[in-house]
Amino acid sequence: MTFPLWGLVIFILWTIVVVILLVTVRIRHLAAGGSVKDFATPNDESLLWRLFRVHANLIENLPLYLGVVFLLTVRSVSGIVVDVLIVVYIAFRIIHSLIHIAGFDPKFRVLSLAIQLTCLVTLTTLAIF
């Protein structure tokens, strides 16, 4: 398998891990007497809300990554530069999630997002030209 496809596998597995965490926290929340209404209440102090946002963010970014993988695959674009960009993208995708889950300063998430977008734009450019 190619690096882009391995990246897709890791992206999917990470999303599954986040879903499991989210479901676990939701069940614990309900078991402690919490309300279902709390699931949609924006609150950056709440792990439940942060996990919900991380999950949504992963789902929002998956089509972008899938598109890049598709372009790279059908155009048979590969090499060390592609491999490194894929590793950096996936690493910062996970780092972005961990920063959000931990509730760290959002500036770190923005930096992580900037690195991810740079990787995606570069990979798209490599796939097109």
Side-chain angles (χ1 to χ4, degrees), residues 18-74:
V18 169
V19 168
I20 291 168
L21 288 171
L22 180 57
V23 168
T24 302
V25 171
R26 281 183 171 191
I27 290 169
R28 283 185 26 214
H29 176 76
L30 292 173
S35 170
V36 174
K37 293 178 183 178
D38 296 336
F39 296 163
T41 304
N43 177 4
D44 286 335
E45 300 300 315
S46 165
L47 177 59
L48 181 63
W49 175 253
R50 291 193 312 268
L51 281 167
F52 173 75
R53 289 301 308 139
V54 167
H55 176 255
N57 192 263
L58 286 165
I59 300 304
E60 292 163 358
N61 282 277
L62 183 57
L64 292 172
Y65 184 70
L66 275 171
V68 169
V69 170
F70 176 77
L71 285 171
L72 292 167
T73 302
V74 299

Side-chain angles (χ1 to χ4, degrees), residues 63-110:
L64 292 172
Y65 184 70
L66 275 171
V68 169
V69 170
F70 176 77
L71 285 171
L72 292 167
T73 302
V74 299
R75 304 257 308 146
S76 298
V77 176
S78 61
I80 190 74
V81 173
V82 169
D83 295 350
V84 168
L85 287 168
I86 293 295
V87 169
V88 170
Y89 174 78
I90 294 298
F92 277 92
R93 179 75 256 153
I94 293 170
I95 289 168
H96 183 272
S97 298
L98 293 172
I99 291 168
H100 204 151
I101 291 168
F104 292 150
D105 189 332
K107 292 177 205 163
F108 297 120
R109 285 197 329 254
V110 172

Side-chain angles (χ1 to χ4, degrees), residues 61 88-89 92-93 96 106-122:
N61 282 277
V88 170
Y89 174 78
F92 277 92
R93 179 75 256 153
H96 183 272
K107 292 177 205 163
F108 297 120
R109 285 197 329 254
V110 172
L111 175 61
S112 174
L113 180 61
I115 293 168
Q116 291 170 64
L117 287 174
T118 300
C119 290
L120 286 178
V121 168
T122 304

